Amino acid sequence: MGHQYDFYIAATPEQLWEILTGPEGVRQIFFGCELRSTFQPGEDLAYVGPGNDGPETVHVYGTWLEWEPHHKFSYIEHPGPSYAPNHAELESRVTFTFEPAGSCTKMRLVNDQFTPGHPAMERSGESWWMILSNIKTLAETGKTLDFGW
């Protein structure tokens, strides 16, 4: 069980890659976070930024599975320690792919392989819609959405 989303975005795979992996794009899309990683399969990653534990809150951490620039990246993720006491036991897989489609790009996100009973299974379905809409808006307009927070 999991979630799959397909978005068609008026941007190149390279532009979307930069939004999702570059420092400025990550900060804008992932609520002020920084993606800390060597970007090598088998290596660790962490989204760190303002949150429950102050400015260095680990929101999500995990391990890269695949890293193919401008085409695909995939990782196993865990919620940060402040989100669940059993965070290390809770995991899911996140996979983004980018495929040219005419003058735009088909961006697919699959979030699957959830640990049975993972509390974020339902919540992630809602938050991904917001993040993906924000990616599309940023890529096409240069601005992010104001969610009223």
Side-chain angles (χ1 to χ4, degrees), residues 35-46 64 67:
L35 174 54
R36 297 184 182 169
S37 174
T38 62
F39 303 104
Q40 298 295 315
E43 296 288 326
D44 293 340
L45 66 105
W64 291 110
W67 183 263

PDB file of all heavy atoms in Angstrom, residues 35-46 64 67:
ATOM      1  N   LEU A  35      18.666  19.800   3.045  1.00  0.00           N
ATOM      2  CA  LEU A  35      18.867  18.377   2.777  1.00  0.00           C
ATOM      3  C   LEU A  35      20.349  18.085   2.985  1.00  0.00           C
ATOM      4  O   LEU A  35      21.195  18.554   2.219  1.00  0.00           O
ATOM      5  CB  LEU A  35      18.438  18.028   1.349  1.00  0.00           C
ATOM      6  CG  LEU A  35      18.711  16.606   0.865  1.00  0.00           C
ATOM      7  CD1 LEU A  35      18.130  15.556   1.801  1.00  0.00           C
ATOM      8  CD2 LEU A  35      18.183  16.427  -0.553  1.00  0.00           C
ATOM      9  N   ARG A  36      20.654  17.362   4.039  1.00  0.00           N
ATOM     10  CA  ARG A  36      22.040  17.029   4.353  1.00  0.00           C
ATOM     11  C   ARG A  36      22.348  15.620   3.862  1.00  0.00           C
ATOM     12  O   ARG A  36      21.719  14.661   4.309  1.00  0.00           O
ATOM     13  CB  ARG A  36      22.277  17.144   5.857  1.00  0.00           C
ATOM     14  CG  ARG A  36      22.075  18.565   6.343  1.00  0.00           C
ATOM     15  CD  ARG A  36      22.383  18.742   7.791  1.00  0.00           C
ATOM     16  NE  ARG A  36      22.131  20.124   8.194  1.00  0.00           N
ATOM     17  CZ  ARG A  36      22.114  20.535   9.444  1.00  0.00           C
ATOM     18  NH1 ARG A  36      22.346  19.676  10.423  1.00  0.00           N
ATOM     19  NH2 ARG A  36      21.875  21.807   9.718  1.00  0.00           N
ATOM     20  N   SER A  37      23.317  15.526   2.950  1.00  0.00           N
ATOM     21  CA  SER A  37      23.612  14.240   2.349  1.00  0.00           C
ATOM     22  C   SER A  37      24.828  14.325   1.445  1.00  0.00           C
ATOM     23  O   SER A  37      25.178  15.402   0.956  1.00  0.00           O
ATOM     24  CB  SER A  37      22.406  13.798   1.511  1.00  0.00           C
ATOM     25  OG  SER A  37      22.700  12.621   0.807  1.00  0.00           O
ATOM     26  N   THR A  38      25.426  13.171   1.177  1.00  0.00           N
ATOM     27  CA  THR A  38      26.469  13.064   0.158  1.00  0.00           C
ATOM     28  C   THR A  38      25.848  12.683  -1.186  1.00  0.00           C
ATOM     29  O   THR A  38      26.535  12.670  -2.196  1.00  0.00           O
ATOM     30  CB  THR A  38      27.498  11.980   0.533  1.00  0.00           C
ATOM     31  OG1 THR A  38      26.816  10.724   0.587  1.00  0.00           O
ATOM     32  CG2 THR A  38      28.172  12.281   1.855  1.00  0.00           C
ATOM     33  N   PHE A  39      24.569  12.349  -1.186  1.00  0.00           N
ATOM     34  CA  PHE A  39      23.815  11.985  -2.391  1.00  0.00           C
ATOM     35  C   PHE A  39      24.360  10.728  -3.075  1.00  0.00           C
ATOM     36  O   PHE A  39      24.303  10.601  -4.286  1.00  0.00           O
ATOM     37  CB  PHE A  39      23.766  13.165  -3.380  1.00  0.00           C
ATOM     38  CG  PHE A  39      23.177  14.406  -2.762  1.00  0.00           C
ATOM     39  CD1 PHE A  39      23.987  15.454  -2.377  1.00  0.00           C
ATOM     40  CD2 PHE A  39      21.814  14.504  -2.540  1.00  0.00           C
ATOM     41  CE1 PHE A  39      23.455  16.594  -1.781  1.00  0.00           C
ATOM     42  CE2 PHE A  39      21.271  15.635  -1.944  1.00  0.00           C
ATOM     43  CZ  PHE A  39      22.091  16.681  -1.572  1.00  0.00           C
ATOM     44  N   GLN A  40      24.863   9.809  -2.293  1.00  0.00           N
ATOM     45  CA  GLN A  40      25.371   8.542  -2.829  1.00  0.00           C
ATOM     46  C   GLN A  40      24.491   7.393  -2.345  1.00  0.00           C
ATOM     47  O   GLN A  40      24.154   7.334  -1.166  1.00  0.00           O
ATOM     48  CB  GLN A  40      26.807   8.291  -2.347  1.00  0.00           C
ATOM     49  CG  GLN A  40      27.802   9.332  -2.788  1.00  0.00           C
ATOM     50  CD  GLN A  40      27.988   9.354  -4.287  1.00  0.00           C
ATOM     51  OE1 GLN A  40      28.116   8.310  -4.924  1.00  0.00           O
ATOM     52  NE2 GLN A  40      27.987  10.542  -4.870  1.00  0.00           N
ATOM     53  N   PRO A  41      24.085   6.472  -3.255  1.00  0.00           N
ATOM     54  CA  PRO A  41      23.311   5.311  -2.809  1.00  0.00           C
ATOM     55  C   PRO A  41      24.014   4.588  -1.662  1.00  0.00           C
ATOM     56  O   PRO A  41      25.235   4.433  -1.671  1.00  0.00           O
ATOM     57  CB  PRO A  41      23.233   4.432  -4.062  1.00  0.00           C
ATOM     58  CG  PRO A  41      23.303   5.421  -5.196  1.00  0.00           C
ATOM     59  CD  PRO A  41      24.289   6.465  -4.712  1.00  0.00           C
ATOM     60  N   GLY A  42      23.217   4.228  -0.656  1.00  0.00           N
ATOM     61  CA  GLY A  42      23.737   3.570   0.529  1.00  0.00           C
ATOM     62  C   GLY A  42      24.118   4.529   1.639  1.00  0.00           C
ATOM     63  O   GLY A  42      24.335   4.120   2.775  1.00  0.00           O
ATOM     64  N   GLU A  43      24.202   5.827   1.307  1.00  0.00           N
ATOM     65  CA  GLU A  43      24.578   6.844   2.286  1.00  0.00           C
ATOM     66  C   GLU A  43      23.341   7.443   2.954  1.00  0.00           C
ATOM     67  O   GLU A  43      22.232   7.347   2.433  1.00  0.00           O
ATOM     68  CB  GLU A  43      25.389   7.963   1.622  1.00  0.00           C
ATOM     69  CG  GLU A  43      26.720   7.503   1.057  1.00  0.00           C
ATOM     70  CD  GLU A  43      27.748   7.190   2.121  1.00  0.00           C
ATOM     71  OE1 GLU A  43      27.752   7.868   3.169  1.00  0.00           O
ATOM     72  OE2 GLU A  43      28.543   6.246   1.908  1.00  0.00           O
ATOM     73  N   ASP A  44      23.551   8.110   4.083  1.00  0.00           N
ATOM     74  CA  ASP A  44      22.461   8.708   4.850  1.00  0.00           C
ATOM     75  C   ASP A  44      22.010  10.043   4.266  1.00  0.00           C
ATOM     76  O   ASP A  44      22.762  10.703   3.544  1.00  0.00           O
ATOM     77  CB  ASP A  44      22.898   8.943   6.295  1.00  0.00           C
ATOM     78  CG  ASP A  44      23.137   7.638   7.046  1.00  0.00           C
ATOM     79  OD1 ASP A  44      22.616   6.596   6.611  1.00  0.00           O
ATOM     80  OD2 ASP A  44      23.843   7.679   8.066  1.00  0.00           O
ATOM     81  N   LEU A  45      20.785  10.437   4.628  1.00  0.00           N
ATOM     82  CA  LEU A  45      20.247  11.744   4.300  1.00  0.00           C
ATOM     83  C   LEU A  45      19.407  12.203   5.468  1.00  0.00           C
ATOM     84  O   LEU A  45      18.928  11.390   6.265  1.00  0.00           O
ATOM     85  CB  LEU A  45      19.399  11.701   3.023  1.00  0.00           C
ATOM     86  CG  LEU A  45      18.101  10.888   3.109  1.00  0.00           C
ATOM     87  CD1 LEU A  45      16.897  11.823   3.207  1.00  0.00           C
ATOM     88  CD2 LEU A  45      17.957   9.994   1.914  1.00  0.00           C
ATOM     89  N   ALA A  46      19.240  13.517   5.571  1.00  0.00           N
ATOM     90  CA  ALA A  46      18.372  14.076   6.610  1.00  0.00           C
ATOM     91  C   ALA A  46      17.859  15.430   6.144  1.00  0.00           C
ATOM     92  O   ALA A  46      18.606  16.215   5.559  1.00  0.00           O
ATOM     93  CB  ALA A  46      19.128  14.225   7.929  1.00  0.00           C
ATOM     94  N   TRP A  64      19.748   6.647   1.022  1.00  0.00           N
ATOM     95  CA  TRP A  64      19.531   6.665  -0.432  1.00  0.00           C
ATOM     96  C   TRP A  64      19.542   5.254  -0.994  1.00  0.00           C
ATOM     97  O   TRP A  64      20.400   4.454  -0.652  1.00  0.00           O
ATOM     98  CB  TRP A  64      20.634   7.463  -1.144  1.00  0.00           C
ATOM     99  CG  TRP A  64      20.592   8.919  -0.882  1.00  0.00           C
ATOM    100  CD1 TRP A  64      21.469   9.645  -0.149  1.00  0.00           C
ATOM    101  CD2 TRP A  64      19.597   9.838  -1.333  1.00  0.00           C
ATOM    102  NE1 TRP A  64      21.089  10.964  -0.117  1.00  0.00           N
ATOM    103  CE2 TRP A  64      19.940  11.102  -0.842  1.00  0.00           C
ATOM    104  CE3 TRP A  64      18.441   9.715  -2.104  1.00  0.00           C
ATOM    105  CZ2 TRP A  64      19.182  12.251  -1.100  1.00  0.00           C
ATOM    106  CZ3 TRP A  64      17.687  10.848  -2.354  1.00  0.00           C
ATOM    107  CH2 TRP A  64      18.054  12.094  -1.861  1.00  0.00           C
ATOM    108  N   TRP A  67      20.165   7.204  -7.089  1.00  0.00           N
ATOM    109  CA  TRP A  67      20.458   8.618  -7.352  1.00  0.00           C
ATOM    110  C   TRP A  67      20.916   8.732  -8.801  1.00  0.00           C
ATOM    111  O   TRP A  67      22.066   8.470  -9.126  1.00  0.00           O
ATOM    112  CB  TRP A  67      21.535   9.108  -6.391  1.00  0.00           C
ATOM    113  CG  TRP A  67      21.842  10.566  -6.538  1.00  0.00           C
ATOM    114  CD1 TRP A  67      22.869  11.104  -7.272  1.00  0.00           C
ATOM    115  CD2 TRP A  67      21.144  11.657  -5.962  1.00  0.00           C
ATOM    116  NE1 TRP A  67      22.832  12.473  -7.169  1.00  0.00           N
ATOM    117  CE2 TRP A  67      21.787  12.837  -6.367  1.00  0.00           C
ATOM    118  CE3 TRP A  67      20.019  11.760  -5.129  1.00  0.00           C
ATOM    119  CZ2 TRP A  67      21.359  14.106  -5.984  1.00  0.00           C
ATOM    120  CZ3 TRP A  67      19.600  13.020  -4.748  1.00  0.00           C
ATOM    121  CH2 TRP A  67      20.260  14.170  -5.167  1.00  0.00           C
TER     122      TRP A  67
END
